[in-house]
């Protein structure tokens, strides 16, 4: 009788551990979904501000065309091409705002200070949102690598989480050094 009690106790402990691990993995997947939604929102915000700048007529014509087309491509990109399109937008923003004259032209336009503030906030939030997303992915991957998770298939049918890798370096004039402006 004592042996049966010990076996039952061990099975209960194992069941509780498996249940706790499955719950943890579920929470990590929910965290990934929330982080991805936040990242998508920040990417959309950045592309929208860039597209608005491209159509504003404030920038020189070549910069306007480049910025508009790349921002439009980033907004319309299919999921498998999204990282490349967003990296292209980062590169275009750096190319356009490499010259501080472009930034000054935006500032001098009506509502320009607000536009610069929106663009600065957008390009600063993208790296943070991407970092949060990739940290959540890293944590979920670490749990999914455990043998117990694989043996008991605790991840269910959830797809293996993938990090979002892109070039998110902001233009120097809009980066951390521009905080005091």
């Amino acid at each position: 009788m004592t042996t049966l009690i010990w076996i039952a106790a061990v099975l209960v402990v194992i069941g509780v551990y498996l249940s706790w691990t499955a719950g943890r993995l579920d929470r990590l997947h929910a965290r990934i979904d929330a982080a991805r939604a936040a990242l998508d929102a920040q990417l959309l915000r950045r592309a929208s501000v860039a597209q608005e700048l491209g159509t504003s007529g404030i920038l020189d014509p070549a910069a306007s065309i480049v910025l508009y087309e790349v921002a439009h491509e980033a907004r319309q990109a299919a999921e498998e091409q999204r990282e490349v399109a967003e990296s292209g937008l980062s590169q275009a923003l750096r190319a356009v705002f490499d010259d501080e004259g472009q930034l000054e032209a935006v500032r001098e336009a009506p509502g320009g200070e607000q536009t610069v503030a929106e663009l600065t906030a957008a390009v600063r939030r993208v790296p943070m949102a991407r970092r949060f997303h990739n940290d959540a992915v890293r944590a979920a991957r670490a749990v999914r690598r455990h043998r117990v998770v694989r043996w008991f298939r605790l991840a269910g049918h959830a797809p293996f989480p993938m990090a979002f890798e892109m070039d998110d370096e902001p233009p120097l004039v809009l980066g951390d050094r521009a905080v005091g402006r």
Side-chain angles (χ1 to χ4, degrees), residues 2-14:
T2 331
T3 308
L4 287 177
I5 293 174
W6 279 108
I7 291 173
V10 167
L11 288 176
V12 166
V13 168
I14 290 172

Side-chain angles (χ1 to χ4, degrees), residues 120-173:
T120 302
V123 299
R124 286 186 186 160
R125 288 180 179 158
V126 166
M128 285 189 296
R130 188 175 75 86
R131 204 170 308 125
F132 287 138
H133 176 267
N134 289 349
D135 287 345
V137 166
R138 200 171 3 268
R141 283 180 171 182
V143 172
R144 287 182 72 151
R145 279 192 206 108
H146 291 244
R147 286 187 192 130
V148 173
V149 172
R150 290 192 321 261
W151 289 344
F152 290 97
R153 299 174 192 226
L154 297 180
H157 296 289
F160 194 74
M162 301 301 290
F164 194 86
E165 298 299 332
M166 63 171 273
D167 173 6
D168 59 5
E169 186 69 29
L172 288 177
V173 295

Side-chain angles (χ1 to χ4, degrees), residues 17 53 104:
Y17 174 74
L53 266 173
E104 289 307 315

Side-chain angles (χ1 to χ4, degrees), residues 1 14 46 55 62 67 83-85 120 124 129 133 155 159 177 179:
M1 186 67 171
I14 290 172
R46 181 181 75 152
T55 58
L67 203 55
E83 294 171 351
V84 174
T120 302
R124 286 186 186 160
H133 176 267
R177 292 183 226 171
V179 172

